[in-house]
Amino acid sequence: MNYDVIVVGGGPVGMMVAGELALADVKVCVLEKLEATTPYSRALSIHPRTLEMMDLRGLKSELLQIGMPLPTGHFAGLATRLDFAVIDSSSNYSLFIAQSETEKVLEQRAWALGADIRRGIEVLSVTQSADCVEVTASGAGRQMTLTAAYVVGADGAGSMVRKQANIPFNGTDATMTAVQGDVVFKNPPATSVVSSFNEQGMIMIVPVSKGLHRVVFIDPETKTIPKDQPVTLEELRSGMIRMLGEDYGISEPYWMTRFGNATRQAERYREGRLLLAGDAAHIHFPAGGQGMNVGLHEAMNLGWKLAAEVKGWAPEGLLDSYHAERFPVNTALLQNTSVQTLLFGTDFSPATIHLRQMISELLQSPDANYRLASQIAAVDVHYDVREDVSSHQLNGRRLAEIRLHSENGDVFSSYELFREGNYVLLNLSSDESVEEIVRKQQRGRIKNVNAALAEPAKGWDDVHTALVRPDGYIAWAIAGTEIDLYNRIEQGIEQIGKT
């Protein structure tokens, strides 16, 4: 075979998958039909949980040098903003950054780790057999055939991989469209963000970069226009005048597009040797800036599991757990964005305006605000885990950054332990018996860390030992008072796969 894995699609999700696989020394290739990274801003937000994941791999600092941290997010553009600052996270903010910049960082990382990135290549067909997958593609005036053990489809809503796998894409077609444009204003608004919802429509304006603003609106006069019909500068101008009473001297459109509220999810994320991630697996109205973020979460979830399968140490069912874990998370996402769509643009009647005001007032309650902020930030995601090792409250939850003391007294971040994409066994009692268990099991993919908490951390006060997955979710945590402690630790290590 030419490769262990071929990733079809070189956007943020495809590059993240490729980077994770290359990190695990998997021979991976990315096939992307675009000759270069997208020049357009597209997705503008990296939310808290995604930033935590980037921190696990050492990428957060690079992204922070490019983007701008924002302490709040929004739900359906309501007047009361979602407060990310109260989230228990070292990344309790959203990073405002153009997708084009995010893609560059992820592509550079995948390339540096050894991924073979081929641009200007269009995939024509994907055919799987019992032993491998054959990919037919064209580029540079010739046709080629490549083979791999697995193929990941990160090739968008019209996914060739999904279609070739005959996976149903269940859901609903668009019932409305919105308009978006990155433009220049000769007379920019006095405030950095403009947001309005009235009987003339919904509009948001935010600065994208120096001299460039993004205009997004749903106009009752144009919301039935199909998404493939081009947007004109005059459409942007007239919509702004109707909704705001002025156009800020709009000119020089850099990018204009129309998008709809089609909501679909692949019936399954795996068909044999074919797997789906990102928009290939689900599409929705881009409410709350969640789309790229959940795609990156899928890439992290899938990457280490597929690498384990390729390398031959995955326990039975590990690769199938990708669908089992991510499908319900994304079902909740589609419900979340569907609710926002109703509030955004179902109608612009006085009743809808009052409903938005009412919900906005409810969001002034800290508990209500925190609940929705946690959803948008994706810090509320947790996975079902086996309880035959322990039933600790941390099991299946994300690892929020904790500060640790090393044996020589240095203080460091728990996130620094995940740069290599391994399991991490936090031996918080520096128990030599635990070290012996790890040595006996010969688990080279487990990093045993003897350390102690440098400061109190929620949920960790009774933890003796915890095993954290490569994607930063806690496989299990065991209290020091647990009966039959060492047998449970040994059993927990045995669960992660073959020696």
Side-chain angles (χ1 to χ4, degrees):
M1 288 184 288
N2 300 108
Y3 299 97
D4 295 322
V5 180
I6 292 174
V7 179
V8 181
V13 176
M15 290 300 178
M16 190 72 186
V17 172
E20 289 297 288
L21 291 169
L23 183 64
D25 199 29
V26 170
K27 189 177 182 183
V28 59
C29 172
V30 178
L31 302 179
E32 168 56 51
K33 64 182 179 181
L34 294 180
E35 296 283 354
T37 304
T38 178
Y40 305 122
S41 56
R42 296 188 182 274
L44 284 173
S45 297
I46 301 181
H47 288 321
R49 179 54 188 160
T50 314
L51 286 170
E52 289 180 343
M53 289 180 169
M54 295 298 179
D55 205 359
L56 292 173
R57 298 296 186 261
L59 297 172
K60 177 180 166 183
S61 59
E62 184 176 356
L63 292 165
L64 283 173
Q65 291 176 11
I66 305 168
M68 178 177 65
L70 298 174
T72 63
H74 76 87
F75 188 86
L78 295 171
T80 302
R81 302 280 293 178
L82 301 180
D83 184 8
F84 290 149
V86 299
I87 292 173
D88 177 24
S89 172
S90 54
S91 299
N92 56 352
Y93 50 86
S94 183
L95 188 66
F96 193 81
I97 181 173
Q99 179 179 321
S100 55
E101 297 297 334
T102 304
E103 282 188 22
K104 290 174 186 175
V105 170
L106 295 176
E107 180 174 0
Q108 175 60 30
R109 179 211 182 209
W111 177 83
L113 289 169
D116 183 7
I117 299 172
R118 300 192 184 190
R119 288 191 169 274
I121 305 294
E122 182 176 5
V123 174
L124 304 176
S125 68
V126 178
T127 307
Q128 67 172 318
S129 65
D131 301 319
C132 71
V133 185
E134 187 175 276
V135 177
T136 303
S138 66
R142 65 186 183 91
Q143 189 164 303
M144 66 194 77
T145 299
L146 302 171
T147 56
Y150 293 90
V151 165
V152 176
D155 49 342
S159 174
M160 167 68 73
V161 176
R162 187 188 66 241
K163 293 172 182 175
Q164 297 273 289
N166 294 315
I167 298 175
F169 203 34
N170 301 324
T172 57
D173 292 329
T175 58
M176 68 170 209
T177 57
V179 169
Q180 179 172 296
D182 288 354
V183 299
V184 172
F185 287 143
K186 295 178 180 176
N187 306 301
T191 57
S192 59
V193 176
V194 174
S195 180
S196 176
F197 188 102
N198 55 48
E199 293 184 19
Q200 302 302 316
M202 185 286 302
I203 186 168
M204 294 181 71
I205 300 175
V206 296
V208 175
S209 61
K210 186 176 181 180
L212 204 63
H213 283 74
R214 171 170 293 183
V215 179
V216 183
F217 64 67
I218 302 172
D219 186 338
E221 294 191 13
T222 63
K223 71 174 189 173
T224 58
I225 295 176
K227 63 172 293 187
D228 56 357
Q229 184 168 322
V231 179
T232 65
L233 182 61
E234 182 53 39
E235 183 178 354
L236 288 172
R237 177 183 289 110
S238 60
M240 290 178 64
I241 291 173
R242 278 197 302 277
M243 295 174 216
L244 297 175
E246 57 182 313
D247 65 6
Y248 299 114
I250 187 172
S251 65
E252 300 179 45
Y254 180 68
W255 175 55
M256 298 184 294
T257 189
R258 201 182 306 273
F259 57 92
N261 66 325
T263 301
R264 295 186 176 276
Q265 183 165 207
E267 190 172 276
R268 53 192 180 277
Y269 291 2
R270 179 189 180 190
E271 180 62 35
R273 294 180 175 275
L274 307 179
L275 299 112
L276 305 175
D279 288 352
H282 45 79
I283 57 172
H284 55 87
F285 194 70
Q290 299 171 90
M292 181 185 71
N293 288 271
V294 296
L296 293 173
H297 301 172
E298 288 153 25
M300 285 281 282
N301 188 293
L302 175 59
W304 69 273
K305 295 175 180 177
L306 185 52
E309 190 72 24
V310 168
K311 292 297 183 179
W313 63 264
E316 184 178 355
L318 179 66
L319 191 53
D320 286 331
S321 74
Y322 167 60
H323 169 89
E325 290 185 345
R326 293 305 307 176
F327 188 88
V329 171
N330 291 326
T331 298
L333 167 71
L334 299 190
Q335 293 168 347
N336 169 300
T337 54
S338 293
V339 169
Q340 291 191 69
T341 304
L342 287 173
L343 292 170
F344 261 132
T346 303
D347 69 72
F348 299 91
S349 66
T352 300
I353 294 172
H354 293 317
L355 175 62
R356 287 176 58 87
Q357 291 172 342
M358 181 182 296
I359 297 175
S360 187
E361 289 171 3
L362 289 173
L363 284 180
Q364 293 175 18
S365 161
D367 288 345
N369 196 295
Y370 180 81
R371 182 168 180 175
L372 285 186
S374 297
Q375 285 185 20
I376 298 296
V379 297
D380 65 338
V381 172
H382 66 275
Y383 299 128
D384 293 335
V385 296
R386 294 173 59 172
E387 294 189 354
D388 50 354
V389 176
S390 80
S391 56
H392 199 276
Q393 62 176 319
L394 292 175
N395 290 359
R397 301 192 178 277
R398 81 187 217 284
L399 174 68
E401 183 181 29
I402 55 178
R403 306 295 294 176
L404 300 169
H405 268 305
S406 67
E407 290 183 300
N408 62 14
D410 293 336
V411 176
F412 64 97
S413 164
S414 58
Y415 283 2
E416 295 174 25
L417 303 171
F418 294 85
R419 302 294 191 254
E420 298 168 358
N422 293 325
Y423 273 95
V424 172
L425 189 72
L426 293 175
N427 186 353
L428 298 182
S429 299
S430 296
D431 191 329
E432 292 183 4
S433 297
V434 174
E435 292 184 68
E436 181 58 31
I437 290 172
V438 175
R439 280 196 296 269
K440 184 176 69 174
Q441 294 286 352
Q442 297 179 349
R443 305 288 182 176
R445 56 190 168 274
I446 295 179
K447 178 184 290 188
N448 180 73
V449 178
N450 295 330
L453 293 177
E455 55 190 45
K458 184 178 180 181
W460 286 89
D461 58 309
D462 66 342
V463 174
H464 176 280
T465 308
L467 182 68
V468 186
R469 300 178 353 175
D471 59 352
Y473 284 86
I474 300 166
W476 49 259
I478 298 179
T481 56
E482 189 77 51
I483 297 173
D484 205 15
L485 175 67
Y486 298 113
N487 282 337
R488 288 185 178 275
I489 292 172
E490 187 166 5
Q491 183 181 1
I493 291 175
E494 288 175 350
Q495 289 180 4
I496 77 167
K498 307 165 189 173
T499 55

